Amino acid sequence: MFWSFLLLAGLFVVTGFLSKMFHAQQASLSRHWAAQGEARLLSGDAAAAIEDYRSALVYEPDDRQNEFRLAQALAAAGRTGEAQAYLVRLLELSPGNGEINRELGRLAVRAGLEPEAIDYYHGAINGAWSDHPRQQRIAAREELSSFLLNAGDTTRAEDELLALAATVPDDDTTDVLQTAGLFARAGKLDGALREYQIVIARDPGNPAALAGAGTCAFQIGDFRAAEDYLSRAQREGDRNAAVSDMLEKIRAAAAPPKRGAKK
Amino acid sequence: MSETSLETPGAGSSAEPALQGIRGASRKFWKAWLGVFRAIPETQFFLLLAIVIGLFSGLVVVCFRICIEWTSILLLGSGIHPSILRTLLVPSACGILVAILALRVFPRVRGSGVNQTKAAVYIYDGYVPFSTVIGKFITCALAIGSGQSLGPEDPALQMGAGIASKLGRGLHLSQEKLRLIAPVGAAAGLAAAFNAPVSAVLFVIEEVIGNWSGGVLGAVVLAAVSSVVVMRRFMGSAALFRIPPFELQHPAELLAFAVLGIVGGGASLILVKFIAWARPRLMALPTWSRYLQPAGAGLLIGIIGIWLPQVMGAGYPIIDQALHDQYTWKMLLLLGAFKILATGFSFTSGTPGGMFAPTLFIGAMIGGAVGGIEHIFFHRLTGSVGAFALVGMGTLFAGFLRIPITSVFMVIEVSGNYSAILPVMISNGIAYLISRHYQSVPLFDMLSRQDGVVLPSVEEQRERVNLRVEDAMRLPAEDAQREGECFEEAVRRATAAKKGNFLVRLTSGEWAIVEPGALEQLAAASSGPVSESQIDTRRPPTLHPDQTLEEALHSIQDWAILPVVNRADLRRLEGVLALEDVLAAYRKRGAA
């Protein structure tokens, strides 16, 4: 009896030691395979990344980040159904997760499922993000707007763009320009011009904003403003042929007719 | 270094009395504890011992699982796709090593471990040599870790039984308790391996012991619980499988699971028939070939593993992936089919290892495949492929291992999802019935008979129709006092009919037997009034029509005849029963 208890105590200690080593090794292997998967996914080898992430999940089955990355790898490899299965499960576990909603939105876009895509993207826009939530929400709304424009649903796209314009801060030049571009694609030239003007007001020498504003003004028919924006854009280094072309047309239209020219 | 060299003069001279004091105190303390233990009656001591057995088994199974994992990483690498060279070489090379160990060093480790534990209970008075525990640990870790398509649960069951047997022998338990101790350890081992105490208890009751004996049930439960506590302490409390949410939306969907039951029953039959066909043939080959059979199986599995590495080993991560819709139905079908082959190769080759994990694997794959195919035709099915995989695990369990109750509870326990109960019951029930119809002898019974051992078949015991008193009793025409007939009249009637062993109803409501000698005396005194005081004072026990004949035999003893009375009205005589009636009933059934 005494020896039994002594043996039990000894076995307890040994098992505790072994299990600590075991868990440490499992975590280490999971990290190793996840890192390899990350590198392969970034290099575009999605098929190999899938295997790596699956290996990582063998050792840490509940690592949601790796599951998410596996889903991304599956999606990148074109295995949409499998990716969706993972993402849906992850979304059930954390329903308000913006990242998962956006990935599901992207899969829905790929499948051409507009209502699902809108739902998921709205989930992403209103969801929780661990890093840079504001930028991520703006990016998600930009993706949604772009998808709606591609799908020809301009009415919904306009709604999203108005919401986007209200959300994007004036000092975020890249996103304001992106919003302006989307407005222009939607045919909402007033909105686009307004966004370009926001950038120009903060950065008068921004060639992209000047060119965009000039193009919008040209299409609206405000040639004076268009010439001003486009010529400033050229001065700031814009070498876009379309800008030169528009400028030429405006100047040609504004120039007095040559003497002796036949009517 | 000798002990005397430690006793340098002066050094420790002050510490020595203190040390001796501590030693003496600890000895006294231990003796006092032993005294306490010895004072405990054996029945209660048995329950305490069950907890200790559970702790030991839990610890050993934790080490076993870790060992399998490390062996696999060491031999096959940590990735899910080992290199082709490793895939081919490792299972076959380890197969040779396992065969040498199993044939030369640990000759009792062949097989899954379930029948060996049953044999310990029914043949060897609970004796399981401890070398079997060591052998099972080493050979199974090597076999499963090298990719043989076997699982760790049944070996864990046998290891638990071995640990329990060793402890029981060490503590000089009575023969009766020693016989009971192996199933206690078996439950502990299985519970730790499965992380599912209820399923383990049910399995041991359903397959090993065969009855709900109160004497052992408490110990089995305690051992299972304590081993699972240990397992969860070291390996985490997560269930064996992470189960996707599952809810049945419409009753008609149960039909989809009924189809799964049919397919699962068929798949389990294929595996059983394959084992039934191949195992005796391989066993009949020359002895030297047994050294090569596990290697051959390993090579075949390696060849499959080049394209489908998922079939190698126990395959729990793959089951998890199937449960989460990670494979297309075609892939699931392929994995299920090739796992049947791989498991058949491994098991029939005599490689030590269990059948539980492969059964779950095949069930999950077949279930997922059936679910996937059904989804193509019936888009409105709400049960995901993962849900079908979950139910499929139980279905194969029911069909292949023929343990219907355990199979249902196992799915509920590993999933923690009670909403799966109806699909599981339907699918498991159908698979079980199909398997029983086309394979008369259950797997474990078939294996023991192939080994030349006749162990009691729990399924046969369970399904045997017990003869009851009502099947054997006679109507009390001439043998007993009639309703409303007065005592004196009844005695006269019996005397006139020259009937011995006549039943009379006493005024107290009891029954008495008038034996032949007493009847003559009564007949001689028939000129005067007959009273109850003239009858033998021994009163026969009464029987009821629904009691089994086995129970009746216990009561009959040396009584020539017994009254069979109604349970609701003890004065109402339904019939009479004699030993000859019991024998006649058994003869009649034997002839039928």
Side-chain angles (χ1 to χ4, degrees), chain A residues 23 51 59 62 86 89, chain B residues 30 78 81 234 242 324 326:
Chain A
H23 290 302
E51 301 302 306
Y59 301 105
D62 290 321
Y86 258 117
R89 196 187 84 82
Chain B
W30 185 248
S78 61
H81 280 268
F234 291 109
R242 300 166 311 133
H324 293 97
Q326 283 306 295

Side-chain angles (χ1 to χ4, degrees), chain A residues 17 52 62 66 73 77 117 139 153 160 169 178 206 214 229-230 238 240 243 251:
Chain A
F17 177 70
D52 294 337
D62 290 321
N66 282 344
D153 190 348
E160 294 300 330
Q178 178 90 7
N206 188 309
Y229 285 131
L230 293 171
D238 191 295
N240 194 325
V243 168
R251 282 172 182 162

Side-chain angles (χ1 to χ4, degrees), chain B residues 117 121 126 161 164 178-188 200 204 208-209 216 220 223:
Chain B
T117 306
V121 176
L178 270 180
R179 201 174 295 124
L180 290 175
I181 210 166
V184 173
V204 168
V208 180
I209 305 172
V216 75
V220 165

Side-chain angles (χ1 to χ4, degrees), chain B residues 264-351:
Chain B
S268 61
L269 269 178
I270 291 171
L271 184 53
V272 174
K273 296 281 183 192
F274 180 75
I275 291 171
W277 176 82
R279 193 165 177 264
R281 281 164 177 78
L282 287 173
M283 284 166 73
L285 292 175
T287 314
W288 62 263
S289 74
R290 291 189 189 176
Y291 289 94
L292 298 177
Q293 285 177 19
L299 186 64
L300 290 170
I301 291 164
I303 292 168
I304 297 172
I306 293 172
W307 292 279
L308 295 169
Q310 294 93 333
V311 302
M312 297 175 80
Y316 283 135
I318 314 303
I319 297 175
D320 194 73
Q321 287 167 10
L323 287 170
H324 293 97
D325 301 2
Q326 283 306 295
Y327 295 106
T328 59
W329 69 265
K330 289 173 195 163
M331 185 64 175
L332 289 167
L333 201 60
L334 265 183
L335 287 175
F338 279 97
K339 188 72 176 179
I340 290 176
L341 264 185
T343 307
F345 293 150
S346 283
F347 191 74
T348 54
S349 70
T351 310

Side-chain angles (χ1 to χ4, degrees), chain B residues 399-413:
Chain B
F400 180 61
L401 300 176
R402 298 268 275 270
I403 37 174
I405 300 171
T406 309
S407 70
V408 171
F409 279 88
M410 188 271 301
V411 172
I412 303 302
E413 200 172 16

